[in-house]
Amino acid sequence: MDQTLDQQRAAFSLDVVERVKRQIESEEKGDEYAGYVVKLAGDILINGLGQSLAQLQAAAKDKKKEDPHYWLYEHVQEWLCKRHPYSLYAGEEDLLHAITKHDQHRYRWALVETLAWLEWHRKIAVAELKKAEGDD
């Protein structure tokens, strides 16, 4: 049975959230990550894909492996460069480098595809990682 692209986006998002759950040492980190996921689509629409991705990296600074900002950057990168079945960036090692060295057609594809994946990822991350209001 073949999956639709939308099903593949959802499946990848579920996989990512499961990995985040295994990676976090506290509920707060999961809540932070979900919060960044919620904000990313709006940031992309306001600032552009490249600037929003660069901001995720900048926010992580030197603590990349422990920082939910950088995890989100890596997850978008993994989807666009490694896991997307029709990727225009297949095999690229770094997403920021890829979007700056290729043409505007590929950039627009990456923008649209990131927003499409984030639709699923936002819902799944909030459902699985976000603390309920009033939980401390």
Side-chain angles (χ1 to χ4, degrees), residues 28-123:
E28 284 74 29
K29 286 274 191 179
D31 191 59
E32 281 180 55
Y33 178 85
Y36 302 146
V37 172
V38 167
K39 293 178 187 175
L40 185 57
D43 289 348
I44 289 170
L45 292 173
I46 292 167
N47 301 311
L49 179 62
Q51 289 182 358
S52 297
L53 293 172
Q55 180 57 40
L56 287 174
Q57 282 194 332
K61 303 246 187 245
D62 296 330
K63 53 187 188 314
K64 289 183 178 181
K65 296 299 178 193
E66 304 92 44
D67 194 289
H69 291 98
Y70 193 72
W71 302 344
L72 182 53
Y73 174 84
E74 285 186 321
H75 297 146
V76 173
Q77 176 175 268
E78 183 180 354
W79 176 244
L80 294 180
C81 296
K82 295 176 178 64
R83 301 280 293 269
H84 192 288
Y86 310 110
S87 178
L88 298 180
Y89 294 143
E92 294 283 351
E93 292 298 316
D94 183 76
L95 182 55
L96 270 177
H97 286 101
I99 65 174
T100 58
K101 76 178 184 180
H102 292 290
D103 62 23
Q104 65 180 341
H105 168 73
R106 289 184 194 203
Y107 182 87
R108 281 193 305 264
W109 170 84
L111 171 68
V112 170
E113 185 54 40
T114 300
L115 292 173
W117 179 70
L118 283 170
E119 278 295 309
W120 276 107
H121 199 51
R122 185 183 78 244
K123 292 170 186 167

